[in-house]
Amino acid sequence: MCGILGILGQSDTENFTKALHTLTHRGPDAFGVYVGESITLGHRRLSIIDTNEHSNQPMHFINSNIGGGGRNDQSPLYSIVFNGEIYNYIELREQLSAKGYVFHTQSDTEVALVSFIEWREQCLQKFNGMWALAIYDHRAKRLFLSRDRFGKKPLFYAFITTSKGERQLLFASEMKAIYPYLEQISPSRTFSAMSARANIFSYPQTHDTLVDGIYRFPYSHYAYISLGESRLTPKRYYNILDHLRPAPNTYELATQEFFTLFCDAVKVRMRSDVTIGTALSGGLDSSAVICAMAHLAKQGMQTQKDWQHAFVACFKDTHQDESWYAKQVVDHIGINATFKEIEPLKEWDNIHKYFYMLEDLYGRILLHDILIYKEQRSNGITVSLDGHGSDELFCGYGHIPYALWDSRFHPVRLWQLMHTTNGTRLHPESTLKVLKSSLNMLARTGVKRLIGREIVQSADSGHPNFQAMDTLNQVLYVLFFETLLPVIIRDYDKCSMISSIEIRMPFMDHRLVEFMFSLPYHYKVGGGYTKKLLRDSIGTLMPSSVTWRKPKLGFNAPMADWIARDKSQNGLKEWFLDIAHSKDFLECSLVPNAKETKEQILALASGNVALENAQNVAEEVWCALNPYLWEKSIEQYALRF
């Protein structure tokens, strides 16, 4: 996990190095700059695999030899800067060694570079991992860029004009390294549309960013661009739908295959030369990860031995606290845990700095995520294996009603689905209400089918394998690949990298994802439970109180509680009230309805919002404040040349 920066062309070394150092948090262990005749590359390193300095970057391929660090005695043929991890690098290195390549490090970076030299863009299909990388071919004067299948690693780019009037491509892991090269940092022309609450959860999948002139390189794409060109044309190399396969003949076989796949996904992500741990919420997903780690350790499999480190965020005296369940998990597998009480007051003075580090708009307060990874780092952890991606594979959110249409010819499944939806709620409804809402959902879906409208809209709706999916899997596909999950993994990448922590996500192993989208809906939701397959396979490794727990909380901060409580109760009421009465906020051009937001803050602070609506109103407030806080962060912290 690192930070990369590059310019297709020559650059002023001093200014380039200053821009590179804005990414120090992504790579505090080492840095390198290479300035060639037609390329400038920079790298900030977080050392995880082969921590030896010879694996520092930029790394070069020189006369069929790999060199790193300062080995520039010969002109390089290829150069790479790489952010991420290739988990199957050991297996790929063996294949490449058999072809005659000689390796000089134990790093996955070297494997990534040689893989490209041998297979060109086809190497991406062979990688199991997460990446944003750039490889420069010095002879052809051509640059290759790529991001991983699901967008775990970020990559931004812009075209800048030099003092000589030349157009140059500039790319970086974060926008802050590009800011100094812009004439001015201006909000994008689509800023107001992106900052609307409905779009905060979707715009990160678009090409646009909040800043005019900076663009997001799309995940599951690659691109070539030659020196002198002023246009980048990414090409998609991966689509889940192209890799689906027939489902196992029985549910029992599916549970067995999932168990094997998941354990292997965890195993390869335990490959590390530094200490690893996990952020444990106490929910099913993060519990499955650490319990699988414990299982692998008991089996004596060759993985990182120092893994017994769980970190739990605690929200004392709120509905969001799940620490009791987390305690059940660590007691079950026989390890200790660090329970971190989230106290917003202790960090809130840094809110503008955090917005600068995060760079984007957010539908929820991310302070607890930032603090739990900060706690990991202070305890010597560098890698965290976490449970992200499971909800979108197994239907962990409130999308179960879409499966009602799929089960319309199966009365038992239909009845179970109605009650499964109700059972996941913190405040279940009466059977009559559940029946009415279910019938309404069936009727609306039936009408859409009758008039030929799509029930689920996707950019890949025309793909035959999308049309062959049942309705629930179509919904999950959109959540996983197009809307919610890309935002979630963007958030966690930024929150973890603030403290130089690498997150690895076993549920997002592409082999596992392809398998899960090949399964029918009733393998995922059934028998009164969501995540049926997960509970029936990995659930055997967990305490039953976690495996068979029904309500779904989500790992969110108790925003409504924080706004309603004053400093004496570890709350943020005073800060929010100050914002509500601030002329600066009320006149901010990026906030369209500041007066309405003010009234919402006053209502929350005075306790005049119904309990069942308070969290939703608090999220509306936070979304409305985002543009204001973002603007202030740019004014205070953005580097300018």
Side-chain angles (χ1 to χ4, degrees), residues 248-289:
N249 292 330
T250 67
Y251 178 75
E252 289 69 26
L253 288 174
T255 59
Q256 294 170 18
E257 186 167 352
F258 175 80
F259 185 90
T260 301
L261 277 171
F262 184 72
C263 285
D264 192 64
V266 172
K267 179 183 176 183
V268 297
R269 283 162 180 77
M270 291 177 75
R271 289 175 170 173
S272 170
D273 293 327
V274 295
T275 304
I276 64 178
T278 190
L280 178 64
S281 70
L284 187 64
D285 310 330
S286 59
S287 300
V289 171

Side-chain angles (χ1 to χ4, degrees), residues 354-488:
Y354 286 144
F355 257 84
Y356 166 72
M357 299 298 286
L358 295 168
E359 297 187 335
D360 267 306
L361 306 180
Y362 299 85
R364 60 192 184 92
I365 294 177
L366 299 176
L367 184 63
H368 59 299
D369 299 301
I370 294 170
L371 295 183
I372 202 66
Y373 293 117
K374 185 177 181 180
E375 187 72 14
Q376 286 189 352
R377 187 68 181 184
S378 66
N379 281 272
I381 305 300
T382 306
V383 175
S384 184
L385 270 68
D386 293 356
H388 314 307
S390 174
D391 285 317
E392 294 77 13
L393 289 177
F394 288 97
C395 190
Y397 304 117
H399 297 90
I400 303 170
Y402 283 97
L404 294 171
W405 181 259
D406 299 322
S407 61
R408 62 194 181 278
F409 301 126
H410 303 276
V412 174
R413 288 181 192 166
L414 191 63
W415 184 255
Q416 287 179 344
L417 284 170
M418 293 180 189
H419 288 278
T420 301
T421 303
N422 206 30
T424 60
R425 295 171 176 153
L426 290 176
H427 306 287
E429 297 178 340
S430 67
T431 301
L432 182 59
K433 281 190 175 182
V434 171
L435 182 60
K436 283 183 177 180
S437 61
S438 299
L439 291 175
N440 285 336
M441 181 70 176
L442 278 170
R444 290 196 303 269
T445 306
V447 169
K448 285 184 178 181
R449 289 285 190 183
L450 188 63
I451 64 177
R453 287 182 57 190
E454 292 179 336
I455 298 175
V456 183
Q457 293 184 339
S458 165
D460 291 324
S461 292
H463 196 294
N465 284 344
F466 185 85
Q467 293 299 324
M469 282 180 171
D470 53 54
T471 307
L472 181 62
N473 271 309
Q474 289 181 348
V475 171
L476 296 180
Y477 177 86
V478 173
L479 288 174
F480 190 96
F481 201 74
E482 298 179 9
T483 57
L484 186 57
L485 184 59
V487 176
I488 291 173

